[in-house]
Amino acid sequence: VRRHLYTGISELVQPHALEGQTREPLTIQRDAALLIENGQVSAAGPRRAIAALAAAGHATHIDLGDRAVLPGFIDSHTHVVFAGTRVDEMARRARGETYEQIAASGGGIKRSAAQLEQASERELVETALGRLARMLSKGTTTCEIKSGYGLLPAAEHKQLAAISALGGRTAMRIVATVLAHSIPGVYSERRAEYVALFCEQILAPAARAERARFCDVFVEQGVFTNDEARTIAAAARAAGLGLKLHVDQLHDNGGAEFAAELGATSADHLEESNARGRAALARAGVVATVLPGCRLFLGKGPWPAARALRDAGCEVAVATDCNPGSSMVVDLPLCAMLAATEGGLSLEEALWGITRGGARALALPATDATLTAGDRADFVVLSAEDWRTLFYSPGDPPIDAVVIGGQVVTGALT
Ligand code: NIG
Ligand code: FE
């Protein structure tokens, strides 16, 4: 057995289950220690107790010298596998065009689909690896990745194969989602035919090959209707996939209530959702995932109403939505900070959103986002004593090292 004893932990941050809105979502243990065995936490708690435990068996000792330790961050919504660039759309927006105008005039998702069509699986893997490495350097240890830039079966399966290959090329844990993102132009007059094709030739084979754990649908005016999403959700359920939904991103379509009606695991975006929708999400136990990277990147529209979602009783997760068109953002702590400064969460709730909230949004066990005995040894070591320093220098989080499965994968612990 490989045993490592970490001492000198100024603050060991433990997110816990939410009970109503009042209880603090984190517990902070001061002057703590962690005992890691074979990639798992075998004990965590006050330094004296843990050090005594470790002394009973041989362990390599690492003194962190008064630094805060947090569970690894879980980015529960990304489109990080894509080809090419849409930087010119950024230039067009800066001159006043909107995201929707650009999408309607040859840009947007269809443009990324044309670029992905031309790329090899290998190119998709290599370019995504670079982005994953940058995410990792910001503390992300688990990352969800969606398909959805393939649109047609061959290209969707190429994208899903790239996502699956990434799992073996990065230390990060990858969770795959098959995404119904847009109706391809050739099917614009035959929408029902495309929905059937998506269910039978994309979703079902992806589930059979275990290349997706979730199915997601972009429900929006001009994209998929509620009825089309219902058909896809039924196919997802039949195939054993969990359901996630992009809703109320650009317009209030009653998408939050729709996600509650379908009993989705998470409803994501929610920029335009109303109070009835927020209450429905809370009642149905659907995780509300906010993606402040979009408002940051697009520069227009409302910030996601994270505070109102929490006050309605929702569990709020925060993710990057990393994608070439609406959120070219790899920095999950930055998104959490924005969920606090612009969305009204407390720093504690913001950290909860990228740890336990991310785990909830991916239906992962709670043990994946905490650091107690039996949990995955995925954690982030800050260069600061106070864990809140994570949110103090946006874009430059003070991260000394990231550990996955007990192994230091980026940075150093000296
Ligand atoms: O989550 N809303 C739909 N999909 C992505 C954007 C896709 C794109 O513009 O490429 C999103 O924002
Ligand atoms: Fe998205």
Side-chain angles (χ1 to χ4, degrees):
V1 285
R2 293 191 331 270
R3 304 176 91 214
H4 288 99
L5 172 67
Y6 291 89
T7 61
I9 301 175
S10 55
E11 296 181 329
L12 182 61
V13 179
Q14 304 279 19
H16 54 66
L18 295 182
E19 286 164 22
Q21 287 110 271
T22 47
R23 214 177 134 200
E24 277 296 338
L26 309 176
T27 304
I28 314 287
Q29 294 170 342
R30 298 213 152 69
D31 192 14
L34 265 179
L35 186 60
I36 308 294
E37 264 178 79
N38 292 328
Q40 280 199 337
V41 178
S42 67
R47 177 175 49 87
R48 276 168 206 290
I50 306 303
L53 251 178
H58 180 74
T60 308
H61 180 210
I62 300 134
D63 184 352
L64 293 179
D66 244 357
R67 292 185 278 187
V69 170
L70 325 174
F73 308 146
I74 299 180
D75 195 343
S76 64
H77 180 142
T78 87
H79 310 250
V80 79
V81 170
F82 61 85
T85 171
R86 280 158 53 197
V87 64
D88 53 329
E89 296 181 10
M90 182 63 128
R92 288 169 68 177
R93 275 193 303 278
R95 290 181 184 274
E97 280 182 87
T98 68
Y99 178 78
E100 282 180 288
Q101 285 166 343
I102 292 167
S105 64
I109 294 165
K110 295 210 159 77
R111 177 111 172 286
S112 284
Q115 291 173 316
L116 186 128
E117 160 98 70
Q118 300 301 313
S120 68
E121 180 190 320
R122 218 191 114 200
E123 283 162 17
L124 294 176
V125 170
E126 298 302 327
T127 52
L129 271 174
R131 291 186 277 269
L132 289 180
R134 294 194 294 283
M135 290 172 144
L136 190 57
S137 75
K138 307 287 187 186
T140 299
T141 55
T142 296
C143 186
E144 186 258 16
I145 309 179
K146 300 176 198 295
S147 72
Y149 288 127
L151 309 184
L152 293 170
E156 274 293 304
H157 291 300
K158 175 171 68 180
Q159 196 182 4
L160 286 161
I163 296 169
S164 156
L166 280 169
R169 296 282 306 274
T170 170
M172 235 187 233
R173 177 172 42 167
I174 304 297
V175 176
T177 296
V178 56
L179 168 63
H181 211 179
S182 175
I183 304 231
V186 286
Y187 283 95
S188 58
E189 306 300 319
R190 298 176 289 149
R191 299 177 64 97
E193 219 178 292
Y194 178 73
V195 169
L197 177 83
F198 181 84
C199 294
E200 289 157 25
Q201 292 184 43
I202 297 173
L203 183 164
R208 273 200 301 277
E210 295 185 10
R211 285 205 163 156
R213 218 186 284 181
F214 288 95
C215 173
D216 192 340
V217 187
F218 184 17
V219 184
E220 182 58 72
Q221 291 172 30
V223 194
F224 289 96
T225 65
N226 285 11
D227 278 342
E228 289 162 347
R230 261 191 207 96
T231 304
I232 295 169
R237 195 147 292 151
L241 300 182
L243 182 67
K244 302 171 81 65
L245 293 170
H246 282 70
V247 287
D248 296 339
Q249 179 183 11
L250 305 170
H251 306 94
D252 179 2
N253 302 302
E257 281 176 282
F258 179 62
E261 174 201 317
L262 291 191
T265 301
S266 74
D268 302 34
H269 275 292
L270 307 167
E271 286 89 335
E272 302 285 348
S273 295
N274 59 46
R276 279 217 329 252
R278 289 190 284 269
L281 290 178
R283 266 197 312 276
V286 177
V287 177
T289 302
V290 296
L291 310 165
C294 289
R295 171 61 178 76
L296 175 74
F297 183 86
L298 296 175
K300 284 205 178 72
W303 290 94
R307 178 80 262 139
L309 287 160
R310 276 294 294 134
D311 288 345
C314 294
E315 292 180 306
V316 175
V318 182
T320 61
D321 196 15
C322 182
N323 78 76
S326 73
S327 180
M328 226 3 221
V329 176
V330 294
D331 189 331
L332 189 52
L334 173 68
C335 294
M337 186 217 73
L338 291 168
T341 55
E342 303 286 354
L345 296 185
S346 67
L347 297 186
E348 288 78 7
E349 289 169 325
L351 185 74
W352 193 92
I354 59 171
T355 52
R356 193 102 176 213
R360 293 277 300 130
L362 295 177
L364 296 170
T367 54
D368 288 14
T370 47
L371 294 167
T372 54
D375 295 356
R376 293 170 62 88
D378 294 358
F379 59 88
V380 175
V381 180
L382 298 190
S383 56
E385 267 176 63
D386 185 329
W387 71 269
R388 299 170 301 182
T389 312
L390 179 67
F391 299 134
Y392 189 50
S393 48
D396 183 26
I399 292 173
D400 267 352
V402 179
V403 176
I404 298 183
Q407 302 275 97
V408 179
V409 292
T410 182
L413 293 175
T414 47

